[in-house]
Amino acid sequence: MRAIARLALATLVVAAPLTAVMAAHAADDPTPITVVTSDFEDGTVQGWTGRSAETLASSTTVAHGGTHSLAVTGRTATWQGPALSVLSTFAKGTSYTISAWVRMAEGSDSARLSVERRTSGTATYETVVGNTAVTSSGWVNLTGHYTLSADVDFLNLYVETASSTGSLYIDDVTASYVPALPIQTDIPAVKSVVTEFPVGAAITGAEITTEHGELLARHFNSVTPGNALKWDATEPTENTFTYTQADPLIAFAKAHGMKVRGHTLVWHNQTPAWVFQDASGAAMTATAENKALLLARLENHIRNVAAHYGDTIGTWDVVNEVIDESQSDGLRRSNWYNITGLDYLRTAFKVAREVVPSAKLCINDYNTNVAAKRDALYNLVVKLKGEGVPIDCVGHQMHVNVSWPSIADTEAMLKKFEGIGVEQQVTEMDVSIYTSSGESFPTPPADRLLSQAYMYRDMFALFRKYKADLTSVTLWGLADDNTWLDTYPVARKDAPLLFDTRLQAKSAYWGVVDPSKIGASASPSASVSVSPSVSISPSASVSVSPSSSTSPGTSGCTVTYRVTGSWPGGFQGDVKIANTGSSAISGWKLSWQFTGGQAISQLWNGSVAQSGATVTVTNASWNATIAAGGSASVGFLASWTGSNPVPAAFTVNGTACTVA
């Protein structure tokens, strides 16, 4: 592995002195400018309105700060809640930090902070902070980041809930921004150093404005519209096509001589409900008539969307995330598969080839560095290519973190697809600073940023080694001010990209451009492998670590159980075990009872078994020991019906724990 790192160094250009780079970071301490303050202390609603017929009033019943808050009553739908117009306040291209304190009047739910924008009467809804558990027992802070990316004639900030219509309170709402810094022009462009293949970034409208557009054009020579080409954005209602989100992004790329990757023509997510409804409007079942209708809709969609851009888009992710390695045949049981079998894949590729014959056609998936996922994708590609299905490339998403995966596993991924007549592309790379869903840092720790730089260094060295097979590498975002990881798998500020929230180069950037400038500390061995705590994709799928044996613990324990997100019929949870004893717990088995019929579908940071109401989680190999005073966390996705009560008791290795 060290030989690979030396290979990367041998081809680098000389960058500006590190002292100059550090001086650029140390420019005046950023002081946020606050543009919205709603504390309700004057006894009025301060411009807030209901989204429907709910009632808003200043209240002294509870308050986060001072003596007043805003009470929201009379809600009859989950989407109803308090809204504030920021049309005359928010400027296009500026990244705002939005904070609101929320609590329920009674009971519990999950709340989220969102923005509704309208252009020429067309509404778009964007999540600022995802579903976050909120109760009546205390205030919960929702903090997130939002950048207006389009010209609008309506822009509202609002709070809503996930599953109930109970009354709620909000207080101390603020929106602020840090004045932008000029981008650094005295450091090498990424695209001028990494010349073996195009290096791209996933973008929204926010990334083509102001300093963001300058940064994008300077460093990257390829772009991927992150959401603007998906089905819900391009054909929201049947046979009504719109390209208002994507056209400006494609035009920017064309004006700056950048390649474009189209993402994505077929996916089980972000596909409007009507696509899977039969002629009468009912949910489709697996009949011959429904299969024919669904494939006809698929063909019509591809013929319109792909043809709209023609040769401008040189590569398409034709299908996205079709593998489920837990199935015996390795295939995801999506609506597409359940109704059409493999014919939706055959149709998608063959129609795309007819419409854009010169484009590279890719099948794209996540966790392809995991053997089971990799092998299932390989088998599918070989099968379809053997039938004459025109698959030109395999896309590896590479949503990874600072300690996973190993270089060896990633190299095995690349080796697997050699010699079968396909190109390979890294399509959605980011490196989270978090190694578990239970972590949250107010600012990125220095050691995590250093580990992130080494991960980028080693991965890009590996990619360049495989330049004969790897024809593109795309990062899933431009800078840390706009990343999907801020809201998934839990709401927290992540920092997964090469440039920070002020668009300045991080150590991660130097890991790609010139690893000698990462820092003076010795780098960890690239051969050390840490099992994944959670490997995720925008489809919310996870990778489960292997289980290991347990031994009785002698320490006391405290368990904290949180619902971190909730939606109709499902929720996401997090369970933290704290070792409150004086000796380490070596191997652990956590157990509890669900009393509301909840059922876990996926879990990370451990191995799960559920028998009826009883849930048992066994440690992974890498988190088996919990030191005295230490903790371990597991996260999961689960279903629920009717109610979602919190478990009342937990045991670790058969010993009852205190419930926090």
Side-chain angles (χ1 to χ4, degrees):
M1 295 301 109
R2 291 178 182 172
I4 295 173
R6 284 198 296 272
L7 174 64
L9 285 171
T11 58
L12 296 174
V13 300
V14 177
L18 185 58
T19 52
V21 177
M22 298 305 293
H25 277 284
D28 53 358
D29 186 41
T31 301
I33 297 174
T34 301
V35 295
V36 171
T37 301
S38 297
D39 59 10
F40 311 107
E41 292 302 306
D42 62 359
T44 74
V45 298
Q46 297 184 346
W48 289 77
T49 60
R51 303 187 72 211
S52 183
E54 61 269 52
T55 300
L56 275 61
S58 179
S59 171
T60 57
T61 303
V62 292
H64 172 257
T67 58
H68 290 70
S69 65
L70 183 70
V72 185
T73 59
R75 300 172 64 235
T76 58
T78 59
W79 57 267
Q80 295 176 5
L84 179 70
S85 174
V86 289
L87 179 63
S88 61
T89 305
F90 283 15
K92 182 179 175 182
T94 297
S95 177
Y96 293 92
T97 299
I98 305 172
S99 172
W101 290 87
V102 183
R103 70 185 290 170
M104 301 301 296
E106 295 181 354
S108 63
D109 201 343
S110 290
R112 57 181 173 264
L113 186 63
S114 303
V115 166
E116 177 185 0
R117 59 179 172 89
R118 299 178 196 166
T119 302
S120 301
T122 300
T124 301
Y125 303 92
E126 298 171 297
T127 299
V128 178
V129 181
N131 288 338
T132 305
V134 178
T135 70
S136 59
S137 61
W139 292 92
V140 173
N141 184 230
L142 306 183
T143 299
H145 304 270
Y146 178 74
T147 302
L148 177 62
S149 61
D151 294 323
V152 295
D153 43 44
F154 178 96
L155 189 67
N156 269 14
L157 171 70
Y158 64 94
V159 176
E160 60 185 336
T161 56
S163 58
S164 75
T165 59
S167 300
L168 56 87
Y169 298 94
I170 67 169
D171 200 2
D172 294 333
V173 183
T174 62
S176 62
Y177 71 95
V178 175
L181 287 176
I183 70 166
Q184 296 155 289
T185 57
D186 58 347
I187 59 175
V190 173
K191 65 185 180 183
S192 70
V193 175
V194 183
T195 58
E196 292 84 352
F197 37 71
V199 181
I203 60 172
T204 67
E207 278 72 47
I208 63 172
T209 62
T210 61
E211 291 84 2
H212 291 81
E214 296 176 32
L215 187 73
L216 177 64
R218 175 174 173 78
H219 287 281
F220 298 96
N221 48 15
S222 174
V223 298
T224 300
N227 289 295
L229 287 171
K230 291 174 181 173
W231 200 311
D232 58 352
T234 54
E235 193 186 2
T237 58
E238 187 162 14
N239 216 32
T240 300
F241 293 89
T242 175
Y243 305 101
T244 56
Q245 293 185 49
D247 277 354
L249 309 185
I250 307 302
F252 181 93
K254 190 172 182 179
H256 290 86
M258 308 171 86
K259 297 180 181 294
V260 181
R261 297 191 79 263
H263 179 80
T264 174
L265 294 171
V266 187
W267 192 25
H268 59 277
N269 279 339
Q270 291 184 245
T271 302
W274 65 263
V275 177
F276 303 113
Q277 292 172 353
D278 64 20
S280 68
M284 283 185 173
T285 56
T287 65
E289 293 78 12
N290 285 338
K291 178 178 180 178
L293 176 59
L294 185 56
L295 292 178
R297 286 172 174 169
L298 173 60
E299 179 172 350
N300 183 60
H301 180 78
I302 294 174
R303 289 194 182 280
N304 279 272
V305 176
H308 178 77
Y309 293 106
D311 293 339
T312 304
I313 296 181
T315 302
W316 275 100
D317 289 331
V318 177
V319 295
N320 191 47
E321 299 179 2
V322 304
I323 298 299
D324 179 357
E325 65 273 31
S326 69
Q327 300 291 337
S328 60
D329 59 4
L331 298 173
R332 181 183 293 277
R333 296 311 194 252
S334 64
N335 284 332
W336 292 108
Y337 180 84
N338 290 338
I339 297 165
T340 75
L342 289 178
D343 283 346
Y344 80 99
L345 300 176
R346 299 180 178 108
T347 298
F349 278 100
K350 290 179 179 178
V351 173
R353 175 63 85 228
E354 291 178 20
V355 177
V356 282
S358 62
K360 297 294 183 182
L361 307 181
C362 300
I363 184 170
N364 188 50
D365 223 309
Y366 66 95
N367 280 10
T368 50
N369 50 277
V370 176
K373 188 68 165 278
R374 176 189 71 214
D375 293 346
L377 180 59
Y378 174 88
N379 292 338
L380 176 63
V381 171
V382 169
K383 173 181 174 60
L384 293 178
K385 283 185 68 66
E387 298 175 1
V389 176
I391 300 176
D392 300 318
C393 82
V394 170
H396 308 289
Q397 291 185 10
M398 291 297 292
H399 294 292
V400 302
N401 67 42
V402 293
S403 63
W404 180 85
S406 69
I407 296 298
D409 285 342
T410 309
E411 185 165 21
M413 170 191 82
L414 296 173
K415 280 184 173 294
K416 181 71 176 181
F417 292 91
E418 288 183 316
I420 62 170
V422 294
E423 297 178 5
Q424 299 187 67
Q425 298 187 357
V426 171
T427 58
E428 304 181 19
M429 185 178 185
D430 44 31
V431 181
S432 173
I433 62 172
Y434 296 106
T435 59
S436 81
S437 61
E439 294 180 324
S440 182
F441 305 126
T443 58
D447 63 329
R448 295 296 176 95
L449 294 178
L450 191 62
S451 296
Q452 181 185 67
Y454 293 139
M455 179 65 82
Y456 270 112
R457 177 201 66 182
D458 294 341
M459 286 296 178
F460 265 78
L462 179 67
F463 298 158
R464 295 167 87 173
K465 177 183 176 182
Y466 281 83
K467 62 184 179 181
D469 298 285
L470 196 63
T471 59
S472 177
V473 174
T474 297
L475 304 179
W476 203 244
L478 175 65
D480 290 343
D481 65 327
N482 188 12
T483 168
W484 72 289
L485 292 175
D486 282 353
T487 57
Y488 190 87
V490 295
R492 60 189 176 186
K493 187 72 193 88
D494 210 326
L497 298 164
L498 304 186
F499 300 93
D500 65 19
T501 58
R502 303 193 78 192
L503 311 188
Q504 304 300 292
K506 298 162 51 183
S507 289
Y509 159 86
W510 293 108
V512 174
V513 169
D514 186 349
S516 70
K517 291 183 169 59
I518 291 176
S521 301
S523 66
S525 169
S527 63
V528 175
S529 173
V530 180
S531 298
S533 57
V534 54
S535 181
I536 52 181
S537 77
S539 65
S541 298
V542 298
S543 173
V544 181
S545 303
S547 62
S548 65
S549 60
T550 63
S551 60
T554 58
S555 302
C557 52
T558 297
V559 171
T560 304
Y561 178 99
R562 295 189 308 138
V563 174
T564 57
S566 183
W567 53 93
F571 71 103
Q572 180 172 319
D574 183 90
V575 188
K576 177 182 177 181
I577 308 167
N579 182 357
T580 58
S582 58
S583 60
I585 300 175
S586 298
W588 49 266
K589 184 175 289 184
L590 170 69
S591 298
W592 72 83
Q593 297 278 324
F594 274 138
T595 59
Q598 303 100 318
I600 291 179
S601 57
Q602 296 173 329
L603 180 137
W604 51 94
N605 295 0
S607 180
V608 65
Q610 182 169 355
S611 177
T614 302
V615 176
T616 303
V617 179
T618 307
N619 61 267
S621 59
W622 56 273
N623 63 0
T625 299
I626 307 177
S631 64
S633 296
V634 298
F636 62 87
L637 300 175
S639 61
W640 64 282
T641 55
S643 63
N644 188 16
V646 172
F650 299 84
T651 63
V652 170
N653 295 342
T655 300
C657 298
T658 302
V659 180

